[in-house]
Amino acid sequence: MDEKIRTLSTMELFQDLSPQEQEELDRITTMTSVRRGKVLYRPEESGEVLFILKSGRVQLYRIAPEGKKLVIATLNKGSLFGEMALLGQQMHNTFAEAITDCQICIMRRSDLEHLIMQRPQVALRMLEITGRRLRDAEIRLEDLAFKSIPARIASLLLRLADKEDGVLSGYTHQDFAEMVGTYRETATQVLNDLKSKGLIDIGRKRITIRDWEGLKTIAED
């Protein structure tokens, strides 16, 4: 099986497609590589394609009038984005930027609509995926409104860490600051405080959680 279609067929959105439908999916999608820093869409672009992240990491963010960056979501492999435009919503003030080198699969709106007509469950899965992202956004909004910066960062580390080994890799202190709505210096100070308490270890673009329960206590403060 072609590597592209093998990857797509394992994704939640395209589960259980028949061999013929997989062949059609291969025909209507394009795989492309983008370099770190590539902006895939900008504010107020209506969007006519669905993006599916095969590898790498993409950040969705907004820029405040004073120039401050607020991260809406950080997406890892297997994520889809651009779906809000396909559901009839503009991107509003949102950017999508590759924050690592990425491989991205692209599907046009017309091809997606045709697939949905043939397999309505694809639309249901898209709504489920979008719903989970909205719930995650609501959690982050609640954190921003009601939690201290140490609690926000502790909560973020718990969400992003691998549940097996407790490792987060590829994130800078600036990334953490933007995701919790603070400054890099503040994020660095909080991370160092967590390290001094024995809750985490800090390496180069790598953090390892050492005390899950202790971090949860701070996150819930």
Side-chain angles (χ1 to χ4, degrees):
M1 185 185 296
D2 178 84
E3 180 183 357
K4 179 179 72 171
I5 195 60
R6 182 170 57 249
T7 299
L8 290 174
S9 64
T10 61
M11 293 179 177
E12 180 181 3
L13 188 63
F14 302 119
Q15 289 177 356
D16 307 323
L17 295 184
S18 69
Q20 293 77 15
E21 289 166 334
Q22 290 179 0
E23 290 179 6
E24 177 66 9
L25 186 63
D26 188 32
R27 186 189 68 79
I28 63 178
T29 54
T30 301
M31 191 73 74
T32 184
S33 297
V34 299
R35 302 289 292 178
R36 178 177 181 269
K38 170 71 174 179
V39 176
L40 298 159
Y41 57 71
R42 299 175 182 274
E44 302 302 338
E45 293 180 356
S46 58
E48 290 295 324
V49 297
L50 177 71
F51 299 92
I52 304 164
L53 188 56
K54 179 180 182 293
S55 64
R57 188 176 292 148
V58 167
Q59 201 171 72
L60 308 183
Y61 62 90
R62 295 185 180 182
I63 300 294
E66 67 273 17
K68 189 175 182 180
K69 179 179 177 181
L70 177 63
V71 175
I72 306 301
T74 301
L75 308 178
N76 296 299
K77 68 176 183 178
S79 300
L80 60 88
F81 58 103
E83 78 281 1
M84 294 304 290
L86 301 182
L87 295 173
Q89 302 293 320
Q90 284 188 312
M91 298 302 182
H92 301 291
N93 297 319
T94 305
F95 294 79
E97 180 179 337
I99 56 174
T100 66
D101 293 346
C102 298
Q103 281 192 301
I104 296 175
C105 188
I106 300 172
M107 179 184 295
R108 295 181 303 174
R109 174 202 287 266
S110 57
D111 291 325
L112 179 61
E113 289 174 347
H114 178 74
L115 178 62
I116 287 172
M117 292 292 292
Q118 302 299 316
R119 297 295 294 264
Q121 62 266 42
V122 171
L124 294 175
R125 288 171 182 156
M126 182 181 292
L127 290 173
E128 291 172 359
I129 293 167
T130 303
R132 286 199 297 269
R133 186 177 302 158
L134 290 174
R135 286 194 296 274
D136 289 343
E138 288 174 353
I139 291 171
R140 294 187 65 246
L141 180 60
E142 183 177 348
D143 286 354
L144 289 171
F146 301 118
K147 289 187 175 182
S148 65
I149 292 173
R152 293 182 215 168
I153 290 180
S155 180
L156 178 66
L157 295 177
L158 291 168
R159 289 200 305 271
L160 294 180
D162 185 281
K163 304 310 177 188
E164 295 286 334
D165 57 16
V167 172
L168 303 80
S169 59
Y171 296 96
T172 66
H173 290 194
Q174 182 66 36
D175 292 332
F176 291 125
E178 291 169 350
M179 284 189 274
V180 301
T182 190
Y183 297 100
R184 181 186 60 77
E185 295 81 4
T186 304
T188 297
Q189 180 181 341
V190 170
L191 290 169
N192 286 335
D193 287 345
L194 296 175
K195 179 182 178 182
S196 69
K197 294 175 181 176
L199 301 177
I200 63 173
D201 285 338
I202 301 176
R204 180 173 176 79
K205 287 192 176 182
R206 180 185 177 93
I207 290 177
T208 304
I209 295 177
R210 294 303 182 194
D211 185 347
W212 287 85
E213 292 304 317
L215 207 59
K216 286 178 183 177
T217 298
I218 293 177
E220 295 167 359
D221 185 12

